[in-house]
Amino acid sequence: MAALDTLKAFFEASLKPSPTVFVIGFAFVLLFPILLHFLVTQKSAYTTLPSVLLVGPSGAGKTALLTLFERGPLAPAPSEKPTSTAPASPTPTHTSQAPAAVELAVSSDGTSSFRDDLDATGTTAKRFLLIDTPGHAKLRRLALSHLSPAKPSTSPTSSYSATPKSKLKGLVFVLDAAALADGDGLPATAAYLYDVLLALQKRASGAKGSKPPPAIPVLIAANKLDLFTALPAALVKSNLEAELGRIRKTRSRGLLDSGVGADDDVAGAGEGDDWLGEYGSDKFSFKQMLEFDIEVEVIGGSVVGDGPGADRWWKWIGQRI
Ligand SMILES: Nc1nc2c(ncn2[C@@H]2O[C@H](COP(=O)(O)OP(=O)(O)OP(=O)(O)O)[C@@H](O)[C@H]2O)c(=O)[nH]1
Ligand SMILES: [Mg+2]
């Protein structure tokens, strides 16, 4: 009975127009929306969505791959005759000029295909962001700015990179395996890959403090294997390693000649700061990146055609989300 009396007394007091009740009520009305706002924005999964970055030279097929993952393989239009045997042409793309991102989902065990409709099957899914970047040489800083999150971006056009507070879980370097076979293809592709790997290496080794940033694994997606001129994945790997070794030698010689390497104090750079992989080693191999906790894997496939397809790339991504 006593409890009921106290409750009654409390309600009576709270309904009386006393200054205390008025102040408490006013503070509640004022603070509640603010508190709610912080609660919602902090808890929202969207701001911390894991992400995977697509980089690679222009024309490699990044946007085509993003479109494939987003929409799935395009079913032939109903007007098209089913007897037609011509391979489905990929969704037309054009040279990208700005980064683009799509939100995708993979089943929580990472085994679902990008063709699966996870909503329909009711599978619990992990959502992630796939970020496409332009491959043109003049726009590559947009991609590389993602790899140095500590440095605030200075260019006004790359404000995008500051938006996702997402955790980068992996990097997919898409390349045109058919373009590697001819003339300038290999040096140009390897030069971009060198910059990307060096940025990752600097990120891992340059971290101040005891806790290094989480490692970012790299997938080298050798695309366009449906074309008969394309190099197989094993050859893509060995050619890239040889070319990266060559670039490493040339760049280190250039630095010595210009005297930059000797007393480079720009960013606290030390000896071998621009040297990719094991310092002083003769040949470069992707295994050397493991020293910096960077796992590099080369997997062949194609966005179009009946070949190995893009499933293994999707699986690689799914396992790292
Ligand atoms: N044969 C073949 N062509 C492909 C494949 N993937 C992409 N392509 C074609 O390659 C061309 C370039 O593809 P994009 O996706 O626009 O290239 P990108 O990497 O986004 O290029 P940028 O936006 O300039 O960086 C398009 O015409 C695609 O249709 C593939 O697996 N096989
Ligand atoms: Mg593109």
Side-chain angles (χ1 to χ4, degrees), residues 30-277:
L30 215 64
L31 290 179
F32 184 70
I34 298 173
L35 274 176
L36 197 68
H37 167 81
F38 279 109
L39 217 68
V40 168
T41 50
Q42 291 276 307
K43 283 252 173 90
S44 164
Y46 196 84
T47 51
T48 53
L49 217 54
S51 66
V52 172
L53 194 64
L54 285 178
V55 297
S58 195
K62 299 176 294 296
T63 310
L65 182 64
L66 183 94
T67 318
L68 174 74
F69 283 166
E70 188 187 11
R71 303 187 192 157
L74 287 184
S79 58
E80 231 169 71
K81 284 199 179 73
T83 48
S84 137
T85 50
S89 56
T91 321
T93 57
H94 53 83
T95 296
S96 311
Q97 296 186 14
V102 294
E103 197 182 311
L104 300 170
V106 61
S107 68
S108 47
D109 55 358
T111 54
S112 69
S113 162
F114 59 89
R115 296 184 182 85
D116 295 347
D117 186 355
L118 296 181
D119 285 339
T121 51
T123 323
T124 44
K126 294 180 289 187
R127 292 181 309 135
F128 68 98
L129 219 53
L130 191 63
I131 306 169
D132 180 24
T133 59
H136 191 280
K138 284 189 178 164
L139 298 170
R140 283 180 190 171
R141 60 191 159 73
L142 295 181
L144 293 172
S145 67
H146 280 275
L147 304 179
S148 48
K151 245 193 302 174
S153 153
T154 44
S155 89
T157 45
S158 64
S159 58
Y160 174 83
S161 67
T163 331
K165 270 199 262 166
S166 52
K167 301 159 278 175
L168 200 55
K169 291 288 185 153
L171 187 145
V172 180
F173 188 91
V174 185
L175 60 84
D176 180 347
L180 286 195
D182 53 48
D184 201 31
L186 180 61
T189 304
Y192 189 14
L193 182 59
Y194 193 95
D195 290 340
V196 170
L197 290 179
L198 194 64
L200 287 177
Q201 176 179 316
K202 282 187 177 167
R203 183 179 182 273
S205 61
K208 308 241 171 351
S210 53
K211 200 165 153 260
I216 301 176
V218 177
L219 167 67
I220 298 180
N223 190 23
K224 306 201 188 181
L225 287 198
D226 57 305
L227 301 177
F228 82 101
T229 46
L231 300 182
L235 217 52
V236 167
K237 184 179 180 203
S238 57
N239 283 3
L240 278 178
E241 284 181 333
E243 187 62 31
L244 287 173
R246 221 168 293 148
I247 294 175
R248 183 168 78 169
K249 265 196 193 120
T250 331
R251 290 202 186 176
S252 66
R253 208 177 302 137
L255 284 180
L256 285 180
D257 288 349
S258 64
V260 175
D263 53 356
D264 189 353
D265 54 358
V266 182
E271 196 175 70
D273 197 53
D274 280 329
W275 183 276
L276 188 67

